[in-house]
Amino acid sequence: MKHWLPRAYLTTVYALLYLPILVLVVFSFNSSRTGYRWGGLSLQWYESLFSNHAMVQAMWNSLWLALAAATVSTIIGALTALALHRYRFRGKRVLRGMLFVVMMSPEIVLAISLLALFLLVGLQLGFVSLLLAHVTFCLPFVVITVMARLSGFDESLPEAARDLGASDFTMTRTVLIPVIMPALLAGWLLGFTLSLDDVVVSTFVSGPSYEILPLRIYSMVRVGLKPEVNALGTLLLVFSLTMLILSQWILTRSKR
Amino acid sequence: MRKLALAGLIAVSLTGCSGQEETEVLNLYNWSEYMPQEVLDRFEEETGIQVVYTTYDSNEAMYARLKLLEEGGEYDLAVPSTYYVNKMRKEGLLAEIDHSKLEGFDNLDPELVDQEFDEDNAYSVPYLWGTTGLAYDAADLDGENVTAWADLWNDKYQGKVMLTNDMREVFHIGLRVLGYSGNSTSPEEIEQAYEKLAELMPAVRTFNSDAPRMPYLEGETDIGMIWNGEAVMGKEDMPSLEYVYPEEGTIVWLDSFVIPKNANNADAAHQFISFVMQPEISALISEEIGYATPNLAARELLPEAVAGDRSSYPTAEDLTNAEFQKDVGDDAMQVYTRYWERLKSGR
Amino acid sequence: MHRVLQQPFKTAVLLLVWGWLLLLVLTPNLLVVGASLMTRDAGSFLALPLNLDSYRRLLDPLYLEVFLHSLYMAGVTTVFCLLIGYPFAWALSRIGKQRQTLLIFLLIVPFWTNSLVRTYALKLLLATNGLINNALMGLGLIDEPLQLLYTEGAVIIGLVYLLLPFMILPLYSVFEDLRRELLMASHDLGAGKLATFMHVIVPLTLPGVLAGVMLVLLPAMGLFFVADILGGSRNLLVGNVIKNQFLDARDWPFGAAASILLTVAMAVLLFAHRLSRRRLGDEEPAT
């Protein structure tokens, strides 16, 4: 096999993956209204995006929701992974199986089942319903990420800690959490990503009291030429990248 | 320390969502692109009430969502077409309009108030009315004479036809082409209309009810259905977009403000309706989005170019054979729904 | 009681996760099963009596046709994802560790724009006046713009674009585990390249392939917004049918039955996945 072939292949696929995004970013600075042609550099779409406060509100709501969903699912997911890794208990296989099934379930199935539940218990569709739904679909991904890290981890450390008289809780805090920190971060990032990307589940379980992006832009996107959407996508990308660089920075600093 | 940061993050994210609750809010549930932003801004400026504008693209979607969220009273104002006003009124989904809180109701066209779908306007206040007719791109269909719904079935337009994503409207043209009423409740007639429409399907490029003008502007389609206001808005960007009142008769509809039964802020809803009924505001709306206002005082304020535009304000001749959309009842709706799904999924 | 006190941490964690899964996964799914057995009601959403009508309607030629067409589009999507993703994951697993992390990360970045926005970006490319047509016409390759948007092909392109990373990630993880020595051994034993591929690599990566298929095939039937935006509300997916039943036509029993159909499809795939792992002597059902 030629050595350059795999690289050329990877490059091609990445180029195709990034082409639409590149178009999005470039066209967000395009002054032409009719979308498809280049009319010169301009920031007008950012201006009109920011003057549309419903849209800005929805963007913040989406980001807050993603942050909250990622955080909650990381906490619950990490605890679950620890329990699965360290304890023997009845129904362990069932628990694993269930998480696996949630991970593999088509979103739309999850979406309508949660909608049915929320209506039955009379929960107002808004932030809480969205958070519960997003945490549910993020959870298995966090569990798997953390489990992968734990399985490669030296068992003698917690044993030693326990021999020294540390309680489970103390041991978890002082020994385990530092070890699985990279996995927690990866899991958190995955949760954040899945939550921000989601359209299907959000369509079903959100209400007017807490509007997030997919609903706000759905008809705009169906309408066709809305350069504000380009600006919005670009902003989301920039925000997420900043978050990531920040978290990397915190991580490397805490390692020192 | 890190845990503290985490706790802080959660706290911030939870408060972040409840922080804006203080300002008074009006939740307006309306069709896509059916209210100029300027009107919302001016209302907010004048009253301090923030309008949260959410959209739908069909009466069915609006109805399903209101029904879903019935208990929460999360929407304060919606804008269904007449036949849905009737249906929702009968089902007890609407709150009565308190006419003592309204100003300017007298300005409305007497021919459009106190209709059979809602006598005395106890539950609805007309917002805009309009027609669904034929559109074609004169730049692409050179010298064509497009005059009737039946022209859509012409082989020349293969892959160039657009329909609205609206069950009742699409069946309306199928029924009219066959000579039936567009408000038919007869399963046989609906089935025949379905079969007629099924012949058209291979020619249909797309369905669009969010902004039916866009497929024409984007060059995806050259002929098909359109709402008159969309035709007016579209012509500004593309002068070759023509609007035609078809021979079999155009579809006439009227959309009205209604207040859902459990609305949280019915007062603001009344305020908003009054605000829109000011002649100046109604005129602004009609001018901006091209539909006809039922507000006679507003019509007098319109520039001649708008008031005299036959696309927005049809003449009596344009309305020959025109039919007003009516409620057909849940049983007939079920029949329509089934054939509609069959139509859209047919290949 | 004694044990509970001894391990308050364990008890609390298990209660939390079991509680979450029972309340937000098991209960809702049972509700859907219940709803699918009930009757549509115009006023409230559901009514008695219980019956199997909704399942019977799934067999109605109309819906059967939609499901088969949706399955066909999802199938083509999956094949494309596999054809692109398999060599991709292999190539990815062969380059330096540090670059791998960066490249995996690059797979995730697009997600941050929201899939709806990315679908919209594809529309910019595929439209009649869009960039692809403009470029092709500019190059003189075509005289008339091609009809790309609002076609079956556009829907499939959209699905492949959105779902490719979900095929690559599980494949990448099996390629990572694939030990070089095994390949060496096979080679030393005189197996040719093709034989090595067919008898060693394919069986060993099968669980990854199946996991990828599961993560692509089923969601591909559910992403209703892709059919809406790129298919022009034609070329419907099962997801559109389900969404319409819940958010337009208000036929909950039928929508629920359609979603159970998807769940059953998932169960079949899960079973196949387990079997493939069993054969490799791997007990863990986790990816």
Side-chain angles (χ1 to χ4, degrees), chain A residues 1 3 6-7 9-10 13-14 16-21 23-24 27 35-37 72 76 79-80 82-83 87-110 112-120 131-133 135-136 139 141 144 147 168-169 172 189-190 192-200 203-204 213-215 217-218 220-230 232-234 236-237 240-241 244, chain C residues 3 7 9-10 13-14 16-18 20-29 31-32 45 83-85 87-92 94-95 99 102-125 127 129-131 134 150 161 164-166 168 193 211 214-215 218-219 222-226 228-229 232-233 238-240 242-243 246-247 252 255-256 259-260 262-263 266 270 273-274 278 283-287:
Chain A
M1 190 80 57
H3 200 65
R7 275 176 194 214
Y9 183 70
L10 287 177
V13 175
Y14 275 111
L16 287 176
L17 274 179
Y18 275 83
L19 180 66
I21 292 174
V23 168
L24 198 77
F27 273 61
Y36 304 125
R37 277 173 207 289
V72 175
I76 301 178
L79 291 173
T80 309
L82 281 176
Y87 300 128
R88 295 173 154 277
F89 53 88
R90 242 181 294 160
K92 190 170 176 170
R93 288 178 68 101
V94 181
L95 186 65
R96 273 175 175 234
M98 248 170 114
L99 285 168
F100 191 60
V101 167
V102 175
M103 189 164 80
M104 292 297 176
S105 288
E107 280 175 300
I108 190 140
V109 173
L110 194 78
I112 59 158
S113 68
L114 286 169
L115 176 68
L117 177 78
F118 295 151
L119 282 184
L120 189 78
L131 182 66
L132 289 175
V135 170
T136 305
L139 197 57
F141 289 93
I144 284 198
M147 287 270 290
D168 258 14
F169 181 70
T172 304
L189 198 67
L190 205 57
F192 179 77
T193 310
L194 290 169
S195 169
L196 205 59
D197 186 55
D198 174 71
V199 177
V200 175
T203 304
F204 282 82
L213 278 179
L215 268 93
I217 58 179
Y218 197 81
M220 285 182 78
V221 166
R222 268 184 54 93
V223 164
L225 305 165
K226 288 285 178 180
E228 291 93 339
V229 176
N230 299 338
L232 183 86
T234 308
L236 283 177
L237 206 61
S240 306
L241 277 171
L244 185 89
Chain C
R3 283 185 62 88
Q7 298 179 302
F9 180 71
K10 170 182 171 183
V13 170
L14 287 181
L16 178 67
V17 64
W18 270 119
W20 192 284
L21 289 178
L22 291 182
L23 193 68
L24 288 156
V25 176
L26 194 65
T27 319
N29 278 299
L31 285 175
V32 171
F45 294 98
L83 287 179
I84 301 169
F88 187 91
W90 172 78
L92 194 61
R94 276 175 44 121
I95 56 171
R99 265 212 211 131
L102 177 72
L103 289 181
I104 288 280
F105 168 70
L106 282 180
L107 276 180
I108 292 179
V109 170
F111 284 78
W112 293 338
T113 52
N114 186 290
S115 42
L116 205 54
V117 175
R118 271 178 295 147
T119 312
Y120 164 75
L122 275 182
K123 191 175 173 179
L124 288 179
L125 284 168
N129 303 324
L131 294 176
N134 273 338
Y150 306 140
Y161 181 60
L164 183 62
F166 292 99
I168 291 174
K193 274 197 174 131
M214 251 185 288
L215 285 171
L218 293 169
L223 295 177
F224 55 82
F225 59 93
V226 177
D228 261 1
I229 294 168
S233 299
V238 177
N240 295 80
I242 298 178
K243 180 185 167 239
F246 278 87
L247 301 183
W252 282 46
S259 106
I260 285 173
L262 281 188
T263 314
M266 173 180 69
L270 277 177
H273 182 251
R274 262 182 82 92
R278 274 269 174 73
E283 250 188 295
E284 301 295 296
T287 337

Side-chain angles (χ1 to χ4, degrees), chain B residues 67 204-205 218 220 341, chain C residues 43 63 128-129 149 234 245:
Chain B
K67 206 96 188 152
V204 175
R205 192 79 200 285
E218 288 166 4
E220 303 293 343
E341 279 177 346
Chain C
Y63 293 111
T128 298
N129 303 324
L149 197 60
R234 305 200 54 190
Q245 304 312 317

Side-chain angles (χ1 to χ4, degrees), chain B residues 268-333:
Chain B
H270 282 94
Q271 248 175 298
F272 189 78
I273 298 173
S274 298
F275 181 79
V276 168
M277 280 194 298
Q278 297 173 68
E280 185 208 350
I281 300 293
S282 282
L284 173 79
I285 294 170
S286 180
E287 196 176 338
E288 282 277 312
I289 63 177
Y291 296 101
T293 176
N295 193 321
L296 294 180
R299 278 184 74 164
E300 283 165 21
L301 299 177
L302 286 174
E304 184 45 38
V306 178
D309 186 345
R310 270 179 51 211
S311 302
S312 295
Y313 293 93
T315 62
E317 187 196 338
D318 293 331
L319 294 179
T320 319
N321 290 330
E323 222 181 339
F324 207 82
Q325 277 184 325
K326 293 202 179 87
D327 184 15
V328 291
D330 196 55
D331 289 343
M333 282 299 264

